[in-house]
Amino acid sequence: MKVRIGVGVSSFTGPDDELGRLAADMERLGFDSIWLPEVLSAPAGDPLTGLAYVAAKVARLKLGTTMVLPGRNPVRLAKQLATLDRLSAGRLLVTFVLGLTQPGELDALDVERAARGPMVDEALPLVRRLWSEDRVTHHGRWTLEGVSVEPKPLQQPLEAWLGGIAPSTWARVGALADGWLPAMCTPEEAARGRVAVEAAAARAGRAVDPEHYGVSIGYLHDEPSPALAEALVRRLGRRAGTLDPAEVVPTGLPALRALLGRYIEVGFSKFVLRPIAPPPDWHAELEGLAEGVLDLQT
């Protein structure tokens, strides 16, 4: 099993090339990938623009994003991602998500909450076809009559993973996706989800590569403030009454390392590590993270 560790950067709007320096540090230290999330209502830049910038700054670091799929035009999306994959020499990693359920994010998406899942169910197979077929005809939410998208991705296939932890997500991953990257779940929940994903894949007559299971892990260095602790409880949703946020958001590098080990024991091997609080010094943050956990990478 190939363990790979990437780092998530939530804010990258500064004009002083902080993003380029971060990417250079990650590549020098040996991290597998940099991840820029998409949260439309947050004060952060567009992830595809940021990753295109990083692609020009470093040569080996992989470029990952957790991208909101509902609300996007599949033809434009297929072209954008294929272009970035070409420009980065095949370094793009994509995990699609339904988007956060907080009011500001739902308003920004302009997609009804109940419509998000069906949109993914239709859009993801359509994007795949646009990446692989010369001309695509499709009738549904989007009507296409012999549409062609160029360029095609350099990676064939360009993998499309899904995030999320709901049972509906497990079924969707098994039926449609190349991998699963949940967040805010315990190793035990992740293991149960993997069983459900594999069962859904079998029902669909397909299989998900056993190497394609990972977790996005937010971590802290100190105990959270009351406001942050409340926010973490809200992120748990329906599980808030039965799950302590500390079980999925470790405090301190030893706790983060221990949690990574537990995920690895249940067969998860691809990780995105995200400091919940913006580090005062990203260079020192990356140095400490590399010393604390990067030897787990194989």
Side-chain angles (χ1 to χ4, degrees):
M1 187 168 67
K2 298 177 182 177
V3 175
R4 297 290 185 266
I5 297 175
V7 180
V9 180
S10 60
S11 179
F12 48 97
T13 56
D16 58 354
D17 197 30
E18 180 186 32
L19 184 58
R21 292 197 299 274
L22 287 179
D25 275 348
M26 290 181 200
E27 184 163 276
R28 174 181 58 81
L29 290 167
F31 287 100
D32 179 71
S33 51
I34 182 172
W35 286 76
L36 305 184
E38 181 175 51
V39 183
L40 296 176
S41 57
D46 173 73
L48 293 187
T49 305
L51 292 177
Y53 181 80
V54 171
K57 291 288 184 175
V58 293
R60 298 185 305 278
L61 193 69
K62 295 173 188 170
L63 316 170
T65 182
T66 46
M67 170 173 285
V68 180
L69 183 51
R72 277 194 151 84
N73 177 282
V75 177
R76 181 178 292 115
L77 176 62
K79 181 177 282 287
Q80 289 174 322
L81 294 175
T83 301
L84 182 51
D85 192 56
R86 284 273 171 184
L87 291 175
S88 64
R91 287 183 282 153
L92 183 60
L93 306 173
V94 180
T95 294
F96 289 121
V97 296
L98 270 68
L100 299 176
T101 56
Q102 60 197 37
E105 192 69 10
L106 289 172
D107 291 342
L109 285 178
D110 195 28
V111 175
E112 292 184 7
R113 182 170 180 170
R116 296 180 305 158
M119 290 183 79
V120 171
D121 293 339
E122 183 177 353
L124 181 50
L126 182 52
V127 168
R128 288 190 191 281
R129 292 182 61 199
L130 290 163
W131 282 339
S132 61
E133 298 178 18
D134 290 335
R135 291 195 169 277
V136 174
T137 296
H138 176 83
H139 298 278
R141 187 183 302 267
W142 299 276
T143 298
L144 308 180
E145 299 290 350
V147 172
S148 177
V149 163
E150 294 293 341
K152 303 298 186 192
L154 185 61
Q155 298 181 75
Q156 286 294 337
L158 175 56
E159 294 172 0
W161 293 31
L162 287 174
I165 58 173
S168 58
T169 294
W170 302 336
R172 190 168 286 119
V173 173
L176 300 175
D178 294 302
W180 182 38
L181 187 76
M184 297 289 286
C185 66
T186 66
E188 294 74 22
E189 289 173 324
R192 288 195 297 271
R194 177 171 177 164
V195 170
V197 166
E198 291 172 346
R203 289 193 299 271
R206 60 191 302 268
V208 176
D209 190 319
E211 292 275 355
H212 288 185
Y213 291 90
V215 186
S216 178
I217 307 173
Y219 66 92
L220 296 163
H221 288 293
D222 303 296
E223 292 301 319
S225 66
L228 179 54
E230 183 179 345
L232 292 175
V233 169
R234 286 198 302 270
R235 285 291 306 277
L236 292 176
R238 297 175 182 175
R239 299 174 298 152
T242 59
L243 181 63
D244 183 347
E247 294 184 58
V248 293
V249 180
T251 298
L253 293 179
L256 173 60
R257 182 184 180 92
L259 185 59
L260 283 168
R262 291 172 59 202
Y263 284 120
I264 292 169
E265 287 176 359
V266 296
F268 283 66
S269 59
K270 308 301 182 287
F271 302 102
V272 180
L273 309 183
R274 303 173 287 105
I276 296 290
D281 182 339
W282 259 109
H283 176 80
E285 182 72 20
L286 292 172
E287 293 278 357
L289 195 59
E291 183 177 352
V293 304
L294 201 53
D295 64 302
L296 296 174
Q297 189 165 260
T298 57

